Amino acid sequence: MLNIALPKGRLGERVYEMFAKAGFECPSILENNRKLIFENVEKGVRYFWVKPSDVCIYVERGAADIGVAGKDIILEYEPDVYELLDLNVGICRMAVAGPVDFVDNGLKTLRVATKFTNIASHYYASIGRDIDIIKLNGSIEIAPILGLSDVIVDIVETGKTLRENNLDVKTTILPISARLISNTTSFQFKGEEIEKAVREIKGQIQ
Ligand code: PRP
């Protein structure tokens, strides 16, 4: 059995289609119910819907053999997994954003609100900028509006959330997309099936 952790939501559904086309179909997954585990014994595959930010944990600890996680999550948590393939879906970027009229004059410690404290710390360390990190769990855009922070480090996809809150991108830190990842032990012991998935999915990537 190949155990696959998929991120719950639109990205996961898109990625499931890629697996199905690759020969790992499991039609019961498309039934609209609240089940979280789906299995197709004939194809030797079992899928789990998990919270996107948890995929790395399932794969790192071997509860799933492979999974799909955003590069943002991989960089933030630095799990001990193999990154096998850039799926070229779930494309967005990690950026510094702030109020439209905000300019960092570098005179005082910059207050940065983010869910991605590791990525933000690395980025500001790389440019030698002193910061005070404020860890939030969501709706990060509110922080600079209420004066909780000067800027945010967050995912920008369409840019709509920023625009509607009078914020704009100051700097793009990195491009982000979904990656196929593997547990390191599974990669040895289930190598053949995993290689097959990689090969077949690779052929579908635009
Ligand atoms: C993400 C991100 C931004 C938004 C960007 O939020 O944190 O808020 O999407 O998308 P846009 O550029 O297309 O507007 P998410 O929906 O993951 O929620 P949360 O961060 O508030 O938990």
Side-chain angles (χ1 to χ4, degrees):
M1 250 325 158
L2 192 60
N3 295 296
I4 306 175
L6 292 180
K8 220 167 148 188
R10 221 160 18 110
L11 174 65
E13 284 162 24
R14 170 108 190 257
V15 167
Y16 165 72
E17 293 302 333
M18 298 173 99
F19 277 99
K21 268 196 209 152
F24 297 89
E25 60 266 45
C26 182
S28 59
I29 207 169
L30 301 172
E31 287 163 14
N32 199 6
N33 60 33
R34 296 200 171 203
K35 271 178 73 170
L36 298 171
I37 302 180
F38 297 89
E39 180 172 308
N40 184 348
V41 179
E42 198 189 315
K43 295 283 173 183
V45 73
R46 188 188 290 133
Y47 289 95
F48 318 126
W49 288 125
V50 309
K51 198 175 153 93
S53 52
D54 288 342
V55 170
C56 287
I57 301 171
Y58 284 84
V59 174
E60 182 177 36
R61 292 179 173 263
D65 299 306
I66 57 175
V68 172
K71 185 68 180 174
D72 51 332
I73 304 293
I74 298 172
L75 288 169
E76 182 62 24
Y77 298 104
E78 300 180 335
D80 182 19
V81 296
Y82 293 142
E83 194 180 309
L84 302 177
L85 202 56
D86 182 346
L87 298 173
N88 204 29
V89 293
I91 292 172
C92 51
R93 55 185 164 141
M94 184 66 65
V96 177
V100 172
D101 56 6
F102 177 80
V103 179
D104 180 11
N105 57 20
L107 294 178
K108 55 183 178 102
T109 302
L110 189 69
R111 296 169 306 150
V112 181
T114 187
K115 265 201 276 206
F116 301 95
T117 54
N118 198 21
I119 293 176
S121 305
H122 273 109
Y123 168 66
Y124 281 106
S126 78
I127 59 167
R129 181 73 173 97
D130 219 20
I131 60 163
D132 175 15
I133 288 253
I134 302 157
K135 160 90 176 160
L136 294 177
N137 298 297
S139 302
I140 318 293
E141 291 83 358
I142 291 178
I145 299 171
L146 299 183
L148 178 65
S149 73
D150 300 308
V151 294
I152 62 173
V153 166
D154 201 14
I155 296 288
V156 179
E157 193 180 349
T158 60
K160 194 161 182 249
T161 312
L162 292 182
R163 272 194 306 279
E164 293 194 355
N165 289 289
N166 290 319
L167 306 172
D168 63 9
V169 169
K170 305 299 177 190
T171 313
T172 293
I173 301 179
L174 353 120
I176 304 289
S177 57
R179 308 296 162 103
L180 179 63
I181 57 172
S182 169
N183 173 267
T184 54
T185 310
S186 302
F187 192 71
Q188 289 179 351
F189 292 101
K190 299 187 183 180
E192 213 170 291
E193 294 139 279
I194 295 176
E195 297 275 12
K196 182 190 167 211
V198 170
R199 204 172 46 244
E200 296 291 327
I201 290 174
K202 213 179 209 170
Q204 300 172 36
I205 297 172
Q206 284 121 17

